[in-house]
Amino acid sequence: MLKGIAASEGIGIGKVMIIEDNTLEYTPKTVSDTDAELQRFRNAVDAFCDETMEQAESVKKTAGEKEAEILMGHIYMMKDPGMVGSMEAQITGGQCAEAALEQVCDMFIEAFSSTGDEVTAQRAADVKDIKTAILSILLGVKTVKISEAPAGTVIVAKEVTPSMTAGINKDKIVGIITETGSQTSHSAILARALEIPAVLSVENCTTTLSSGEQVIADGSDGIVITAPSEEQINEYTTKRDAFLREKRELENYRGKKTLSASGEEYELFCNIGTPKDATKAMEADGEGVGLFRTEFLFMDRNALPTEDEQFEAYKQAALILKGKGLIIRTLDIGGDKEIPYLGLEKEENPFMGFRAIRYCLKNRDLFKSQLKAILRASAFGDIRIMFPLITAVEELREGKALVEEAKSDLRASGIEFDENIKIGVMTETAASGVIAHLLAKESDFFSIGTNDLTGYTMAADRGNGDVAYLYSPFQPSVLMMIKRIINCANEAGIPVGMCGEAAANPMMIPLLISFGLTEFSVSAPSVLKVRKNIAKWTKAEADKVAGDVMNMATEKEIVDYLKNII
Ligand code: PEP
Ligand code: MG
């Protein structure tokens, strides 16, 4: 078995076709007829642009418009006077077209790769793809025709370039395995758009696998099974068929409202960590964002993001959501979420320590700059603010007072924002559950964070395997907390969502329907599954289940019962 990155869901069972790198060798030479060489180069660039345009047309049909744009980007790059101008200048200076192309491309590849930024690194891959394509034209080397692959082919390559994808026929290619690439590389994006299972970053796969051998590419778990036994083939065929059946079935829920079987309507939002995830949320048919974990904007860097940088990120997410609800959680650091440059002192008990809203209220400049960034972005969408880890009413009041200060600063500078921005509480501590009736009077909404609420209610660290047996949202105590929080919100007439992992659990759904939750916020891939699971229950059936469950004394009893009825 070979391990890699699960980059595109599904299972491909088929025969390997290794896509070799073409040997594009040539001997650099000096040319005397530079005009003729320049013409040869321009002809090659024209041929490249024509070919790429055709490929983009075909990708538009098979994968989609956005994916075709990747290839159009290659044409724009080769029309860019900076890049082509440098190549032409080298040719005029006496270099052959091949060497001029290679040198300039390598310079760009080097510059793009050295930034360490993923998006810019992707540009390096694009330039590499362009270089190979034009060199092939100049040298008259024929590229391997993926379009001629027989049905049931698993492509194995160093990387799947955008130009390669043009030849991929979805009915013939059942899997993709590559040596390089990450979740966000072009190979992954294209594989997902084509809905072909893909396992990326499988070390040495182009040499360990050989053309014609049978493999199973499991793009859901990120593994490749070589020389599968008959038993494994049967097992994975069943898995593949179940996966495809569920996928087809789930598609029936796309573009629909989120309704219970008795017609109650719910909001079905997504959890995101970056503005880019907002696109994924929309593609997944999310109806908004119920939790934007802003700490990701603060991680993987050496200094705080500025107010402007944050504003751009929040605004970008708002624009992607086109007026749909966007709940931005203010900085939730500490505990398991470390930000080294903040220099937080090591604590005996970080989960109970100086973190989240507690840290923000003591670091008012940092907090205010985030609040101002959120407020400025609120002019571009339906943005709401949510405070994490609230345990006392004073924290909510202080946070709200700081929002007011941020508002008056912006007013004084004549900057627009949503004057009526909603401010809510993430109810994820035992204390917030107990005082939910008090918090509800002063909040515009609640969102239940069951990941932490479970830990804080059970006094069981969510990352500690030794107490994992206690860490369950189906513990009677946690269910009572959830019920209480929802009740208090309902009584105060404010919306109440759930953004912890439990919101997507099919066993939790009837309970939440019965308790009166109004919004579910889940990861993008869970959206359609949750919509389907909500549609299974009438309110009366859900009430019966909740009634039974709330009379049970142990987690085991509850889970056994729920497993039986879903
Ligand atoms: C939670 O605690 O349930 C939650 C959604 O937040 P996080 O997982 O980011 O702590
Ligand atoms: Mg939390």
Side-chain angles (χ1 to χ4, degrees), residues 268-272 277-278 281-282 286-293 317 321 324-328 382 384 519 521:
L268 179 49
F269 285 3
C270 282
N271 295 345
I272 66 168
D277 291 347
M282 291 301 92
E287 298 162 24
V289 164
L291 169 63
F292 183 164
R293 291 182 160 101
L321 292 186
K324 291 187 167 131
L326 168 58
I327 299 179
I328 302 183
D382 177 7
R384 307 158 203 176
E519 170 241 309
S521 191

Coordinates of all heavy atoms in Angstrom, one line a residue, residues 268-272 277-278 281-282 286-293 317 321 324-328 382 384 519 521:
L268 N -28.8 26.4 6.9 CA -27.7 25.4 6.8 C -26.4 26.1 6.4 O -26.3 26.4 5.2 CB -28.1 24.2 5.9 CG -27.1 23.1 5.7 CD1 -26.5 22.6 7.0 CD2 -27.7 22.0 5.0
F269 N -25.6 26.5 7.3 CA -24.4 27.3 7.1 C -23.1 26.4 7.1 O -23.2 25.2 7.4 CB -24.3 28.3 8.2 CG -25.2 29.5 8.0 CD1 -26.2 29.5 7.0 CD2 -25.1 30.6 8.9 CE1 -27.0 30.6 6.9 CE2 -26.0 31.7 8.8 CZ -26.9 31.7 7.8
C270 N -22.0 27.0 6.8 CA -20.7 26.3 6.7 C -19.7 26.9 7.7 O -19.8 28.1 8.0 CB -20.1 26.4 5.4 SG -20.8 25.3 4.2
N271 N -18.8 26.1 8.2 CA -17.7 26.6 8.9 C -16.5 26.8 8.0 O -16.2 26.0 7.2 CB -17.2 25.6 10.0 CG -18.3 25.3 11.0 OD1 -19.3 26.1 11.1 ND2 -18.2 24.2 11.8
I272 N -15.8 28.0 8.1 CA -14.7 28.3 7.2 C -13.5 28.8 8.1 O -13.7 29.2 9.2 CB -15.0 29.3 6.1 CG1 -15.3 30.7 6.7 CG2 -16.2 28.8 5.3 CD1 -15.4 31.7 5.6
D277 N -12.1 29.5 1.6 CA -13.1 28.5 2.0 C -14.5 29.0 1.7 O -15.4 28.1 1.7 CB -13.0 28.2 3.5 CG -11.7 27.5 3.9 OD1 -11.0 27.0 3.0 OD2 -11.4 27.4 5.1
A278 N -14.7 30.3 1.7 CA -16.1 30.8 1.4 C -16.5 30.3 0.1 O -17.7 30.0 -0.1 CB -16.1 32.3 1.5
A281 N -17.6 26.8 0.5 CA -18.9 26.8 1.1 C -20.1 27.0 0.1 O -21.1 26.4 0.2 CB -19.0 27.9 2.2
M282 N -19.8 28.0 -0.8 CA -20.9 28.3 -1.8 C -21.0 27.1 -2.8 O -22.1 26.7 -3.1 CB -20.5 29.6 -2.5 CG -20.7 30.8 -1.7 SD -22.3 31.1 -1.0 CE -22.2 30.3 0.6
G286 N -23.8 25.7 0.7 CA -24.1 26.3 2.0 C -24.9 27.6 1.9 O -24.8 28.3 0.8
E287 N -25.7 27.8 2.9 CA -26.6 29.0 2.8 C -26.0 30.2 3.5 O -26.7 31.3 3.6 CB -28.0 28.6 3.4 CG -28.7 27.5 2.7 CD -29.8 26.8 3.5 OE1 -30.3 27.4 4.4 OE2 -30.0 25.6 3.3
G288 N -24.8 30.1 3.9 CA -24.1 31.2 4.6 C -22.9 30.6 5.3 O -22.6 29.4 5.2
V289 N -22.3 31.4 6.2 CA -21.2 30.9 7.0 C -21.6 31.1 8.5 O -21.9 32.3 8.9 CB -19.9 31.7 6.6 CG1 -18.8 31.5 7.7 CG2 -19.4 31.2 5.3
G290 N -21.6 30.1 9.2 CA -22.0 30.1 10.6 C -20.8 30.3 11.6 O -21.0 30.6 12.8
L291 N -19.6 30.1 11.0 CA -18.4 30.3 11.8 C -17.2 30.5 10.9 O -16.8 29.6 10.1 CB -18.1 29.0 12.7 CG -16.8 28.9 13.4 CD1 -16.6 30.0 14.4 CD2 -16.6 27.5 14.1
F292 N -16.6 31.7 11.0 CA -15.4 32.0 10.3 C -14.3 32.0 11.4 O -14.3 32.9 12.3 CB -15.5 33.4 9.6 CG -14.3 33.8 8.8 CD1 -14.4 34.8 7.9 CD2 -13.0 33.2 8.9 CE1 -13.3 35.2 7.1 CE2 -11.9 33.6 8.2 CZ -12.0 34.6 7.3
R293 N -13.5 31.0 11.4 CA -12.4 30.9 12.5 C -11.3 31.8 12.1 O -10.4 31.4 11.4 CB -11.9 29.5 12.6 CG -12.9 28.4 13.1 CD -12.3 27.1 13.2 NE -13.0 26.2 14.1 CZ -13.8 25.2 13.7 NH1 -14.0 25.0 12.4 NH2 -14.4 24.4 14.6
A317 N -14.4 37.5 1.8 CA -15.4 36.4 2.2 C -16.8 37.0 2.0 O -17.7 36.3 1.5 CB -15.2 36.0 3.6
L321 N -19.8 35.6 -0.5 CA -21.1 35.2 0.0 C -22.3 36.0 -0.6 O -23.5 35.6 -0.4 CB -21.2 35.2 1.5 CG -20.2 34.3 2.2 CD1 -20.5 34.3 3.7 CD2 -20.5 32.8 1.7
K324 N -25.2 36.7 1.7 CA -25.6 35.6 2.6 C -25.0 35.9 4.0 O -23.9 36.5 4.1 CB -25.2 34.3 2.1 CG -26.0 33.9 0.9 CD -25.7 32.5 0.4 CE -26.7 32.0 -0.6 NZ -26.1 31.4 -1.7
G325 N -25.6 35.3 5.1 CA -25.0 35.6 6.4 C -23.6 35.1 6.6 O -23.2 34.0 6.1
L326 N -22.8 35.9 7.3 CA -21.4 35.6 7.5 C -21.1 35.9 9.0 O -21.0 37.1 9.4 CB -20.5 36.4 6.6 CG -19.0 36.4 6.9 CD1 -18.4 35.0 6.9 CD2 -18.3 37.3 5.8
I327 N -21.0 34.8 9.8 CA -20.7 35.0 11.2 C -19.2 35.0 11.5 O -18.6 33.9 11.2 CB -21.4 34.0 12.1 CG1 -22.9 34.1 11.9 CG2 -21.0 34.1 13.6 CD1 -23.8 33.1 12.7
I328 N -18.6 36.1 11.8 CA -17.1 36.1 12.0 C -16.9 36.0 13.5 O -17.3 36.8 14.3 CB -16.5 37.4 11.5 CG1 -16.8 37.5 10.0 CG2 -15.0 37.5 11.7 CD1 -16.2 38.7 9.3
D382 N -23.7 40.7 4.8 CA -24.5 40.5 6.1 C -23.6 39.9 7.1 O -23.6 38.7 7.4 CB -25.7 39.6 5.8 CG -26.5 39.3 7.0 OD1 -26.2 39.9 8.1 OD2 -27.4 38.4 6.9
R384 N -21.9 39.3 10.9 CA -22.3 39.3 12.3 C -21.0 39.0 13.1 O -20.2 38.3 12.6 CB -23.4 38.3 12.6 CG -24.6 38.5 11.6 CD -25.4 37.2 11.5 NE -26.2 37.2 10.3 CZ -26.9 36.3 9.9 NH1 -27.1 35.2 10.6 NH2 -27.6 36.3 8.7
E519 N -30.3 27.0 13.3 CA -29.3 27.0 12.2 C -28.2 26.0 12.5 O -27.8 25.8 13.7 CB -28.6 28.4 12.2 CG -27.4 28.6 11.4 CD -26.2 29.0 12.2 OE1 -26.3 30.0 13.0 OE2 -25.1 28.3 12.1
S521 N -24.4 24.7 11.4 CA -23.2 25.2 10.7 C -22.2 24.0 10.6 O -21.7 23.6 11.7 CB -22.6 26.4 11.3 OG -21.6 26.9 10.4

